[in-house]
Amino acid sequence: MAAPVQLTDVRKVYGTGPSAVTALDGVSYDFAEGSFTAVMGPSGSGKSTLLHCAAGLDAPSAGEVHLAGTALRGLDETALTKLRREHVAFVFQAFNLMPALTVRQNVVLPLTLAGRTPDQEWTAEVIRRVGLAERTGHRPGELSGGQQQRVAIARALASRAAITFADEPTGALDTHTAAEVLALLRDQVRAVGQTVVMVTHDPVAASYADTVVFLVDGRIVSELLSPTASSVAAELAALSRLKVTR
Ligand code: ADP
Ligand code: MG
């Protein structure tokens, strides 16, 4: 069974000529089914670019990406959108909530767009789990940043997508809510074999994952299995001393 997310020698170069920036410099990695992987690395190391390329939101300059068993190269925007709607959920920093819709409508929107009928009970359950049961009729503009992020997380959980991509999902949350949200993501992996790829700079957040992958200058330089907050922090400290030679 092929991994739901596969990157093979992926390169991404932004711009051309002397101002060109190599954001990914030959990344190969299989994100296995039912795995929860954290992607870490210094600012500018290519974490968001990796996520965008893996999700087909951005096209690599070279290399191959397979998402849910489909090669992304050559797919047009319509085919990519269809593939994402069927298999992928996103929790990104810029929440991407629809301001005119209520919390509940935002949570079920990806399902509605994919032509699926939302499971009322499960929808209520995920909204309750992220602590927004009293807010289902509110609009995003009436919520705090942390509450908006929780709507985005409920939306990802509600869809039961096979693959969730999260970029700093707990960045705007207080410690307690962050812990709840990370536990939800981990439970989702355990319960339904979802595959989660999460960018974070927080060793505590990363410790919820099964594996941490470390990026430096667009390359995967190490991997940590069964991470703890302290083993992650130690690896980050070691990497900050590492001088990557190109
Ligand atoms: P991270 O998420 O680890 O902070 P990014 O993937 O956002 O890193 O960026 C990796 C590198 O690519 C950085 O040097 C960044 O400045 C550059 N970069 C990212 N997006 C663009 C873009 N749209 N145009 C030009 N350069 C970009
Ligand atoms: Mg980033």
Side-chain angles (χ1 to χ4, degrees):
M1 168 79 196
V5 187
Q6 286 183 308
L7 281 71
T8 310
D9 207 13
V10 170
R11 287 176 52 81
K12 178 67 182 180
V13 181
Y14 291 109
T16 52
S19 63
V21 174
T22 301
L24 295 177
D25 195 9
V27 170
S28 296
Y29 199 82
D30 285 3
F31 295 90
E33 185 172 358
S35 64
F36 184 178
T37 310
V39 178
M40 301 193 86
S43 177
S45 57
K47 303 182 294 296
S48 295
T49 304
L50 186 156
L51 224 58
H52 291 160
C53 287
L57 296 169
D58 208 349
S61 311
E64 296 293 338
V65 176
H66 287 78
L67 185 62
T70 304
L72 299 189
R73 179 193 296 279
L75 293 188
D76 63 16
E77 205 42 59
T78 310
L80 281 171
T81 301
K82 184 164 182 290
L83 188 69
R84 283 193 297 262
R85 277 185 188 157
E86 281 170 10
H87 302 286
V88 179
F90 293 99
V91 185
F92 279 4
Q93 276 159 326
F95 318 108
N96 294 324
L97 301 179
M98 303 298 286
L101 300 183
T102 65
V103 165
R104 194 185 175 286
Q105 288 167 337
N106 268 288
V107 167
V108 299
L109 185 64
L111 289 167
T112 317
L113 287 174
R116 286 153 62 190
T117 308
D119 174 338
Q120 306 281 353
E121 253 173 61
W122 177 241
T123 304
E125 170 70 12
V126 294
I127 291 175
R128 191 187 60 70
R129 286 206 207 163
V130 298
L132 292 173
E134 314 299 314
R135 304 277 181 163
T136 53
H138 288 64
R139 295 184 210 285
E142 301 167 315
L143 302 175
S144 71
Q147 288 171 330
Q148 290 182 39
Q149 185 69 317
R150 284 190 261 163
V151 178
I153 297 208
R155 188 178 53 187
L157 296 175
S159 74
R160 291 186 165 116
I163 304 158
T164 292
F165 292 106
D167 198 346
E168 298 283 2
T170 55
L173 305 181
D174 63 83
T175 313
H176 178 72
T177 311
E180 280 185 355
V181 157
L182 289 161
L184 282 174
L185 280 175
R186 192 176 55 190
D187 290 351
Q188 192 77 350
V189 170
R190 300 280 177 275
V192 298
Q194 199 182 38
T195 302
V196 175
V197 184
M198 172 181 78
V199 167
T200 182
H201 67 266
D202 176 9
V204 174
S207 73
Y208 283 77
D210 310 310
T211 305
V212 185
V213 168
F214 295 88
L215 274 181
V216 174
D217 289 347
R219 296 180 188 182
I220 293 178
V221 293
S222 61
E223 192 182 16
L224 198 58
L225 306 180
S226 305
T228 63
S230 57
S231 69
V232 171
E235 182 66 13
L236 284 174
L239 288 179
S240 69
R241 291 191 292 272
L242 180 85
K243 187 90 186 100
V244 175
T245 47
R246 287 174 164 263

